[in-house]
Amino acid sequence: MKDGRTHLAHKAEHAVDMETGAIVAVTLHGADVGDTATIQETVAEAGERISSVVADTNSDEAVKQVSADGPREVVTDKGYHSRAVVSELAEWGLRTYCSEPNRGRQRWSDQEREQQAVYANRRRIRGVRGLRLLRQRGEKLERWNQHLYDRGGMRRLHLLGRENILKRLVVHSGAANLGLLMRKLFGKGTPRGLAGVLPAIISAVNASTRLLSVPATLVRKFGDSMARAKAAQMFPIAA
């Protein structure tokens, strides 16, 4: 692992949309690989997923809200900050909001490009918008770590191979996004929460069914009366 222990483990990374809180991409890496060496793959995966969704969507409104080129801004904690990472993401055309650890005074000999990228990132994270984005990152990203790994029981998996573990991650992430969609549509994001409102939904459906059945009954009664009147005209009965 990263701390030197000989332990079989993997490191999962999630790319989360800051507006909706939905998980955009999931990547799996070895636990002995540092964060600064894996963020590039996660950002690239997020860009590929976003581009594929926009390409499959015919709605002009969806295209306006999401860039077809992928993410435009990257918000991370201080574990992902380094000169190489910040400068590389800047070359990709991304605005970085990476928390910067206190490294003291740094030297920038023959590293003008890296210096400009780090200083620009430092200026952004100290601004009002940068501080707000960093707070949202802690709220929307760390929430999934709690739901997937602690409450979801994925801290310890008995699966063989990286591919099987990644499949499990993708399934859990898809269920998390489905919960967001359910909350948007029904106001409840879990099956247990939805079960609490099922009696109300059933009652509303039954009430609407009764309301719809009233006109049909009236029409049927009106038709019977008209049929009787017509029969009386055709076959009069002598008193």
Side-chain angles (χ1 to χ4, degrees):
M1 300 184 67
K2 289 185 291 184
D3 56 3
R5 290 182 296 168
T6 56
H7 185 71
L8 295 177
H10 291 81
K11 180 173 72 76
E13 286 184 353
H14 307 273
V16 177
D17 179 45
M18 296 292 288
E19 294 184 2
T20 62
I23 300 177
V24 179
V26 180
T27 57
L28 187 66
H29 312 277
D32 58 340
V33 184
D35 295 337
T36 57
T38 58
I39 183 175
Q40 296 87 348
E41 181 179 348
T42 303
V43 173
E45 181 72 16
E48 183 178 351
R49 296 297 180 186
I50 293 174
S51 300
S52 63
V53 170
V54 174
D56 295 339
T57 304
N58 296 325
S59 175
D60 295 336
E61 186 66 25
V63 175
K64 292 179 181 178
Q65 295 178 357
V66 182
S67 173
D69 298 331
R72 297 177 178 176
E73 300 176 340
V74 177
V75 185
T76 68
D77 58 14
K78 62 182 62 177
Y80 293 91
H81 186 281
S82 71
R83 300 181 183 185
V85 168
V86 175
S87 61
E88 184 176 1
L89 294 180
E91 288 182 356
W92 292 0
L94 301 175
R95 293 170 58 88
T96 59
Y97 294 86
C98 302
S99 296
E100 184 177 0
N102 185 12
R103 296 192 176 99
R105 187 176 180 85
Q106 303 182 53
R107 300 182 182 275
W108 301 96
S109 58
D110 299 331
Q111 292 183 338
E112 182 179 357
R113 178 172 54 85
E114 290 82 356
Q115 182 182 12
Q116 293 178 356
V118 170
Y119 282 3
N121 175 80
R122 184 182 302 172
R123 183 175 60 253
R124 284 191 291 267
I125 63 176
R126 291 178 178 177
V128 176
R129 186 169 184 272
L131 294 175
R132 183 176 71 251
L133 288 176
L134 290 175
R135 286 194 299 269
Q136 291 180 356
R137 189 212 70 84
E139 172 189 349
K140 296 181 178 180
L141 186 84
E142 300 298 337
R143 175 190 302 166
W144 294 127
N145 293 336
Q146 171 70 18
H147 287 320
L148 295 178
Y149 301 105
D150 294 332
R151 296 178 63 89
M154 293 187 62
R155 290 291 182 188
R156 185 184 297 272
L157 294 177
H158 299 281
L159 295 174
L160 180 62
R162 175 184 178 277
E163 184 178 356
N164 291 330
I165 297 176
L166 183 58
K167 289 179 181 179
R168 182 74 173 270
L169 280 172
V170 171
V171 170
H172 276 246
S173 301
N177 289 338
L178 181 60
L180 290 178
L181 182 61
M182 290 174 58
R183 190 174 299 278
K184 182 70 174 179
L185 295 177
F186 307 110
K188 301 293 181 179
T190 61
R192 180 175 297 180
L194 186 63
V197 299
L198 275 180
I201 295 176
I202 295 175
S203 300
V205 171
N206 290 335
S208 62
T209 303
R210 288 195 297 271
L211 290 176
L212 291 175
S213 64
V214 170
T217 305
L218 294 177
V219 171
R220 186 168 55 253
K221 290 182 178 180
F222 179 77
D224 294 342
S225 62
M226 291 295 294
R228 287 195 297 270
K230 188 68 174 178
Q233 293 178 0
M234 296 179 61
F235 306 102
I237 301 177

